[in-house]
Amino acid sequence: MVALVGRDAELLQLRGLISRSGARIVSLSGTGGVGKSALLVELMATESRQANVWTVDLSEAPPASRLLDEVARALGVPAEAARSGAERTIPRALASLMGGGARVLAVDHADACTVDASLLELLRLCSELTLIVASTLPLSAPAERIALQSLAVPPVGAPLAEILRSPAVRLFTDRAGQADPQFALDDATAASVAEICRQLGGLPLAIELAAARARLLPPRELVRRLAEDSSSGMALDILSPRATAGVVGIRAALAANRAMLTTSQDALLLALSRFRGPFPLEAAARVSGQRLLETLDDLDVLVELRLVEPMHEEPGELIFRMLPMVRAFGREVSADSDAVEARRLAYLRELVHEAAEAASSASASPATDHARALRSDVADALRSEAAADLNAAAEFATDSAAVIGDFAEGSTVGAVLDRIIASGTVDHLERRQQAAVWLWAANSLARSPEGSAQRELVDERLRRGIELVDDASWPFLGLQARLIAVSSIGTTADPTIAARAAEEGVQIAQSVGAQAWLARFEVWGGIIAYSRGGIDDAAALAISGMQRGKRIGDAHAIAGATGLLRTLPAGSHDPGVPVPSLEQALDLARVAHDLTVETFLLAVLSWEAILTGRPAEAARWCLERLALSTRRGWTILMSLSLLHAALIAAMLSDEPFAARILGVVQADQDRLDRSMTPATEQFFRGILDRLRAGLGEETFLRLLAEGSTVSMVDAANQATTWLSAKVASTAPQPAEAAPTITPREREVLALLAAGLRNKEIGSRLSVSAKTVMHHSVAIYRKLGVRGRTEATAFAIRHGLVDAP
């Protein structure tokens, strides 16, 4: 028999309910594929050796049939006992059949059946009997409840030791070893196996089916194929049962979950499958064509069935996602998606345009956060529109560049802008649109891996774009043009052009009274002044920008100014001026979603920790910056992070690793030199001398040469693994603490446990249904659960609410 992996706690709980507590009815619930049947099989294998055990599979039961009727039919109770009007004879017939010694009756796949008083009659007649009912949703009758969750998966960037402890990874490793005796989990495969488990949401059935392919597909290839375009159904094909005889496929498991849905819930599921990536609540409502309140209630059910997951990484917004296999299933079974797709594309264009307008005026807008959450869909829609009509796609491309250009999906936007230029389409656009194309194409190229090598092309695009801008007619485009010119200094290496752009930005902002833009250009002016040695000017401009930012509440200016002021030499500005800490500035940058300032602050924090001899803390900040750069696809930012990683390695006496990483960095020496201040360069030269002395000149040069052949991306992956191990080995183990549920969340949790829906809870508490959903998602995040059933079980078990 195949060993049960990752369910030790649930198996122990079930055995305890049977042997110690004398529970009469146990409801075993969980979504299709979560392992209810496997758990029952394991339980029955052990219980049958010491008790009279009966098992019944009701997967073929007709809808709305009575549970005990179907149990009787499956066990062969004489037909006359099941006739109409003989309801009370069925419990007696079953009791007679099983005998007084019957101890456990396990009923699997009971989703189609209803329960009534005949169950209690059977339990009265069989005083020693425990009834276990497995179904997708919990049993409505009074019962002990065990809600099976998907297996825990390791977080992104987890070290090897943590990956090995993950129940999901343990299951994959066990099943992969059965498929291929040569399979082994090591440093080379662990990260890929962890990613497979994350993509599959820890769902045991999906993990087993994926692991069965281990003989044919290495883990890295499995990761790639599972992440393929979900419209191709690739994930579902990999998770088919062909490779594992006797195992149901993931399609059947998802179909069983879908069968639990109402018509509107099913329509919402199919509509949401059109999204390629995460989506906000408002997007779900717009694309489905439902009202927001209807969407909330239906989405709540999809979350409960694990067909949709809230993203806990975005606690300020209601952001959700579908696993690739669920998305693929939704697209596969959707009969007619043209109307939904039309709504999705129209919504994306409208949303991105609104977000771009907000960006041009340096103002906050929910549209910005929503568009960035939907950036995978925006990039997908832009590709489709550009393939159909480049001219029509131009405005969508420049709007997208202003909103998602800082993310990895910005490479798609840059490619479309390059096509618009290369094809000559740009020459046929109206002048304002031409300027926008040249400017955002320059911005995209400057931030790309090829930007440093194509400095002249970046300069040319900037020049052509700025020449086309009429500052009097389009002042906000003029401000964006100057910001692109200023922020491209890391690529163009021309502080004169950047300084002029910052000065012009200040003038335009003053002319239109754009205080947020004025504050930001003052900060940029300070950064450029510092790069040219003007410490006094840098301090004055940074303080002015910070104070202006505080007056108007502009987090971008406050965070950027703080980073600059904390970098300037001691005594360079009035100590009486209150300056936030770097950590406070980092929080502000993250709230404002200012990725440029965030990466700058992480570099400052890392460097400060290096200079003060705190390598473990420096490793933590460096790891965060490197991870952020990798997610954005910004190899332009990786050089400095890799330099810091090499310095940290030298401080921790790992000279070979430090030398190899420095070899990678020195391949980008030109960009590296431009990023160094005199103090940084002096420290860097000292580290080089130390490595030469420790390794010997010949070994040092050999390791540098080895590093020079490694790509920036591969080096970033190596550094991420190395830094993760150092951070994990030095991080203090947090004490186990009870989740901090607020009084309001406790009220919501109690009403969730009572079975009320969002609208009903909102009426009780005098808040909107959307606010209730915000509280629900926060509760799920704090408790580490995935829906109201799991939250209810957790809350009852830990005394957060009273048992019903």
Side-chain angles (χ1 to χ4, degrees):
M1 184 177 68
V2 177
L4 188 71
V5 177
R7 292 295 186 204
D8 307 299
E10 291 88 347
L11 185 59
L12 187 63
Q13 186 181 1
L14 257 179
R15 285 174 176 161
L17 288 173
I18 294 171
S19 62
R20 290 189 297 277
S21 70
R24 307 307 311 279
I25 305 178
V26 178
S27 174
L28 181 63
S29 62
T31 55
V34 81
K36 301 183 295 296
S37 299
L39 184 59
L40 281 182
V41 168
E42 181 75 11
L43 177 73
M44 295 301 101
T46 54
E47 289 297 319
S48 61
R49 292 195 290 266
Q50 51 189 317
N52 187 4
V53 174
W54 296 71
T55 60
V56 176
D57 187 337
L58 299 185
S59 54
E60 301 299 324
S65 54
R66 295 197 315 165
L67 181 69
L68 219 55
D69 289 354
E70 294 306 313
V71 169
R73 187 174 292 111
L75 291 179
V77 170
E80 58 268 18
R83 288 175 185 161
S84 176
E87 291 86 351
R88 291 185 60 82
T89 68
I90 293 176
R92 286 198 292 271
L94 282 170
S96 175
L97 177 67
M98 292 189 294
R103 186 172 175 210
V104 179
L105 171 60
V107 181
D108 199 5
H109 300 112
D111 297 284
C113 301
T114 61
V115 298
D116 59 16
S118 61
L119 277 182
L120 301 179
E121 177 66 12
L122 174 64
L123 295 175
R124 186 186 67 79
L125 294 170
C126 299
S127 59
E128 300 296 321
L129 180 67
T130 296
L131 177 67
I132 304 175
V133 181
S135 55
T136 302
L137 297 178
L139 206 61
S140 57
E144 297 284 349
R145 294 187 176 187
I146 298 178
L148 289 191
Q149 307 176 20
S150 295
L151 298 177
V153 299
V156 175
L160 180 60
E162 186 175 356
I163 291 174
L164 292 174
R165 290 194 298 269
S166 162
V169 171
R170 284 169 45 215
L171 176 62
F172 184 97
T173 305
D174 179 84
R175 301 307 192 253
Q178 294 175 30
D180 179 8
Q182 302 301 314
F183 179 84
L185 195 67
D186 53 27
D187 288 329
T189 59
S192 293
V193 170
E195 178 59 25
I196 290 167
C197 293
R198 284 192 292 270
Q199 286 194 28
L200 300 178
L203 190 67
L205 173 60
I207 291 171
E208 293 201 34
L209 291 168
R213 299 297 183 96
R215 182 185 292 274
L216 302 175
L217 297 172
R220 179 173 292 187
E221 179 63 12
L222 260 176
V223 169
R224 187 188 69 79
R225 295 200 183 190
L226 287 171
E228 286 277 346
D229 183 358
S230 57
S231 62
S232 69
M234 177 80 74
L236 296 179
D237 291 338
I238 288 175
L239 303 175
S240 71
R242 292 192 301 268
T244 308
V247 178
V248 69
I250 201 67
R251 284 182 172 90
L254 293 173
N257 290 336
R258 186 187 176 204
M260 307 297 297
L261 305 178
T262 66
T263 301
S264 66
Q265 292 160 3
D266 187 56
L268 178 61
L269 174 71
L270 301 186
L272 297 182
S273 70
R274 305 308 304 174
F275 288 116
R276 288 182 58 89
F279 53 86
L281 173 64
E282 285 76 7
R286 287 287 298 274
V287 172
S288 68
Q290 294 181 333
R291 292 181 302 172
L292 186 62
L293 192 57
E294 295 169 341
T295 302
L296 271 169
D297 283 340
D298 287 347
L299 195 57
D300 205 19
V301 175
L302 299 185
V303 169
E304 180 70 11
L305 290 174
R306 294 297 316 283
L307 296 169
V308 171
E309 291 188 323
M311 290 183 65
H312 301 325
E313 305 94 295
E314 301 281 353
E317 286 289 331
L318 285 174
I319 307 293
F320 302 86
R321 65 181 173 188
M322 274 184 169
L323 296 173
M325 59 182 177
V326 180
R327 185 181 305 115
F329 176 76
R331 292 190 175 203
E332 187 174 88
V333 300
S334 181
D336 181 12
S337 58
D338 288 347
V340 173
E341 184 65 7
R343 285 198 297 268
R344 183 181 79 102
L345 295 176
Y347 167 70
L348 288 172
R349 287 209 60 152
E350 176 187 326
L351 179 71
V352 171
H353 185 70
E354 182 181 344
E357 289 291 305
S360 72
S361 60
S363 57
S365 169
T368 303
D369 292 336
H370 294 166
R372 286 173 174 168
L374 284 159
R375 57 187 180 272
S376 296
D377 286 85
V378 172
D380 176 55
L382 178 59
R383 271 192 299 266
S384 298
E385 186 157 328
D389 186 343
L390 269 179
N391 189 77
E395 184 178 15
F396 191 17
T398 53
D399 284 348
S400 299
V403 180
I404 66 169
D406 282 351
F407 295 88
E409 291 78 5
S411 61
T412 297
V413 181
V416 171
L417 291 170
D418 286 345
R419 285 179 55 200
I420 291 172
I421 291 172
S423 66
T425 302
V426 65
D427 300 326
H428 304 291
L429 302 173
E430 54 93 11
R431 180 173 173 175
R432 187 182 188 282
Q433 193 61 56
Q434 283 186 36
V437 167
W438 286 113
L439 290 167
W440 289 114
N443 183 72
S444 178
L445 182 58
R447 294 168 186 257
S448 73
E450 300 79 25
S452 186
Q454 300 195 51
R455 192 181 311 163
E456 294 80 5
L457 183 55
V458 173
D459 281 336
E460 180 192 346
R461 289 179 172 183
L462 276 172
R463 177 183 56 76
R464 295 187 69 162
I466 291 175
E467 286 177 353
L468 286 167
V469 174
D470 182 344
D471 292 329
S473 301
W474 317 312
F476 288 111
L477 181 59
L479 289 167
Q480 286 181 306
R482 272 58 177 201
L483 180 63
I484 292 170
V486 168
S487 61
S488 298
I489 186 174
T491 298
T492 62
D494 192 335
T496 302
I497 292 178
R500 184 169 66 248
E503 292 169 0
E504 291 173 354
V506 167
Q507 294 168 2
I508 298 171
Q510 287 175 332
S511 70
V512 294
Q515 292 298 307
W517 275 115
L518 182 55
R520 295 179 197 182
F521 274 114
E522 285 178 328
V523 174
W524 271 109
I527 292 172
I528 294 163
Y530 183 39
S531 71
R532 303 172 80 180
I535 293 176
D536 291 341
D537 288 343
L541 286 166
I543 288 173
S544 177
M546 181 183 68
Q547 291 176 334
R548 191 184 306 277
K550 286 182 177 180
R551 287 196 298 272
I552 62 175
D554 187 69
H556 301 263
I558 301 169
T562 298
L564 176 55
L565 290 169
R566 293 288 179 184
T567 308
L568 293 175
S572 59
H573 58 86
D574 183 358
V577 176
V579 180
S581 68
L582 287 169
E583 289 84 353
Q584 290 171 328
L586 184 62
D587 289 340
L588 284 172
R590 286 171 171 167
V591 168
H593 296 289
D594 191 328
L595 301 179
T596 302
V597 173
E598 183 179 350
T599 53
F600 167 56
L601 289 166
L602 287 169
V604 174
L605 284 160
S606 177
W607 179 242
E608 183 182 73
I610 289 171
L611 288 180
T612 53
R614 294 172 286 144
E617 184 177 339
R620 178 166 65 89
W621 296 122
C622 185
L623 179 62
E624 287 193 34
R625 187 177 193 270
L626 200 53
L628 185 63
S629 302
T630 302
R631 289 198 302 272
R632 296 163 73 179
W634 275 24
T635 52
I636 189 173
L637 295 175
M638 290 178 185
S639 293
L640 186 58
S641 295
L642 291 175
L643 171 63
H644 286 186
L647 299 180
I648 295 164
M651 294 171 71
L652 294 174
S653 301
D654 191 344
E655 286 90 355
F657 180 77
R660 288 192 188 94
I661 293 298
L662 283 175
V664 179
V665 172
Q666 286 194 322
D668 194 22
Q669 187 69 49
D670 185 42
R671 184 182 292 173
L672 178 63
D673 289 340
R674 294 198 306 275
S675 69
M676 285 191 184
T677 63
T680 307
E681 185 172 3
Q682 182 180 359
F683 189 91
F684 176 59
R685 302 305 169 195
I687 290 291
L688 288 180
D689 293 340
R690 176 175 160 184
L691 291 175
R692 279 193 179 91
L695 292 167
E697 184 71 15
E698 183 179 347
T699 302
F700 175 66
L701 291 177
R702 177 176 59 80
L703 292 171
L704 279 181
E706 287 178 9
S708 67
T709 64
V710 178
S711 73
M712 192 74 70
V713 173
D714 286 342
N717 290 332
Q718 294 173 19
T720 296
T721 300
W722 188 89
L723 290 165
S724 297
K726 298 304 175 187
V727 170
S729 65
T730 57
Q733 293 299 314
E736 197 69 33
T740 54
I741 302 295
T742 67
R744 175 61 90 185
E745 288 167 354
R746 192 180 291 268
E747 288 180 304
V748 172
L749 181 55
L751 295 173
L752 285 173
L756 275 67
R757 308 311 298 180
N758 292 309
K759 182 179 180 180
E760 297 168 322
I761 296 173
S763 297
R764 291 275 188 97
L765 301 180
S766 299
V767 297
S768 71
K770 183 178 177 181
T771 299
V772 173
M773 179 67 94
H774 269 287
H775 287 310
S776 300
V777 170
I779 291 167
Y780 302 157
R781 173 171 51 86
K782 291 179 179 181
L783 300 186
V785 299
R786 299 183 176 97
R788 64 169 61 210
T789 299
E790 293 178 16
T792 299
F794 182 102
I796 293 173
R797 190 163 61 247
H798 291 82
L800 298 176
V801 299
D802 294 330

